[in-house]
């Protein structure tokens, strides 16, 4: 039985680790949250006292952390995990961070004789719980094949985007488009309702017309239109506005560094920034509807 060290048990990491347990992997887990550790320990994982403790005896390491600085802090430096892991250990970082940091960490892993993949995910908390995530992977194809059984235990779709950092680039491109689509969908629904349309009827029309998109079909931002969407439970339990804002910021940084135009991505970032500043940062990003049509 393979032993996996899983570090970072938040809204995404916790369910992902639980799915590894369900598939028979032995897990050493670590998080700064005692409650998160206790939940995984109750499911059968070994609760580690530190990240260094979690990786002892592990065949592979998976991390799911908030930002690039946390990934660097975990792996690099004299006290980082790369200095402690045996050569050949597989390391899979599922965090969404900037591609430059992903490449920096991957280069350090290679210098230490380790095998590193950046594998950010798409699918949200529901996909993490259901084990249907999409993994967008950067790194060597051979290491992806080695990691594939682990990823298949947590997800449904696995894409090899390219070399180190490519997974992060593809992820932020996807999320930039998602932010734009959600804002556009919210604006269109608000316009229709303002002019007397029923939001459910308008959503059905759009879903069968040229404006159809993921938001109208699977994640409608208008409360009550879709029973299982965050909008119908007070915009809770989804992908927080502040996380969408982070990803749109990463897209803007990438565009700046690569001299690429991103006028719509930049506009979407400004909209979500205003929304977060208005106090909605912890709500699901589909709550951007409130920017166009106050519901309270």
């Amino acid at each position: 039985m393979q032993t996996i060290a899983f570090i970072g048990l938040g809204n995404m990491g916790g369910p992902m680790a639980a799915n590894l347990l369900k598939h028979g992997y032995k897990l050493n887990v670590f998080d700064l949250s005692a409650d998160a550790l206790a939940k995984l320990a109750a499911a059968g994982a070994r609760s580690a006292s530190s990240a260094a403790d979690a990786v002892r005896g592990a065949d592979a390491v998976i991390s799911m952390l908030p930002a690039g600085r946390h990934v660097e802090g975990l792996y690099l430096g004299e006290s980082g995990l790369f200095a402690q892991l045996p050569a050949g250990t597989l390391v899979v970082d599922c965090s969404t961070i900037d591609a430059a940091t992903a490449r920096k960490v991957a280069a350090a892993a290679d210098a230490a004789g380790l095998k590193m993949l950046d594998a950010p995910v798409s699918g949200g908390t529901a996909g993490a719980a259901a084990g249907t995530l999409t993994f967008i992977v950067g790194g060597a194809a051979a290491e992806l094949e080695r990691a594939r059984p682990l990823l298949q235990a947590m997800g449904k779709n696995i894409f090899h985007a390219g070399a180190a950092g490519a997974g992060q680039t593809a992820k932020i491109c996807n999320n930039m488009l998602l932010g734009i689509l959600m804002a556009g969908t919210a604006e269109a629904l608000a316009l229709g309702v303002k002019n007397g349309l029923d939001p459910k009827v308008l959503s059905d029309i759009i879903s069968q017309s040229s404006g159809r998109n993921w938001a109208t079909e699977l994640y409608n931002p208008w409360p009550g239109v879709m029973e299982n969407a965050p909008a119908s439970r007070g915009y809770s339990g989804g992908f927080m506005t502040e996380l969408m804002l982070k990803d749109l910021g990463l897209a803007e940084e990438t565009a700046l560094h690569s001299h690429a135009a991103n006028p719509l991505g930049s506009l979407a970032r400004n909209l979500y920034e205003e929304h977060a500043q208005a106090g909605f940062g912890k709500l699901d990003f589909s709550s951007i509807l409130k920017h166009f049509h106050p519901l309270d």
Side-chain angles (χ1 to χ4, degrees), residues 191-205:
L191 176 63
V193 170
K194 188 75 173 178
N195 286 275
L197 296 181
D198 182 290
K200 175 68 165 65
V201 172
L202 179 55
S203 295
D204 289 343
I205 291 169

Side-chain angles (χ1 to χ4, degrees), residues 167-227:
Q168 300 295 349
T169 300
K171 169 67 187 290
I172 62 171
C173 289
N174 177 79
N175 277 26
M176 182 184 74
L177 180 58
L178 175 59
I180 294 167
L181 287 173
M182 183 59 76
T185 297
E187 184 176 359
L189 291 177
L191 176 63
V193 170
K194 188 75 173 178
N195 286 275
L197 296 181
D198 182 290
K200 175 68 165 65
V201 172
L202 179 55
S203 295
D204 289 343
I205 291 169
I206 292 173
S207 292
Q208 297 301 317
S209 304
S210 56
R212 66 187 300 185
N213 65 76
W214 184 82
T216 55
E217 294 184 50
L218 299 174
Y219 211 89
N220 198 287
W222 200 281
V225 172
M226 289 183 177
E227 181 180 350

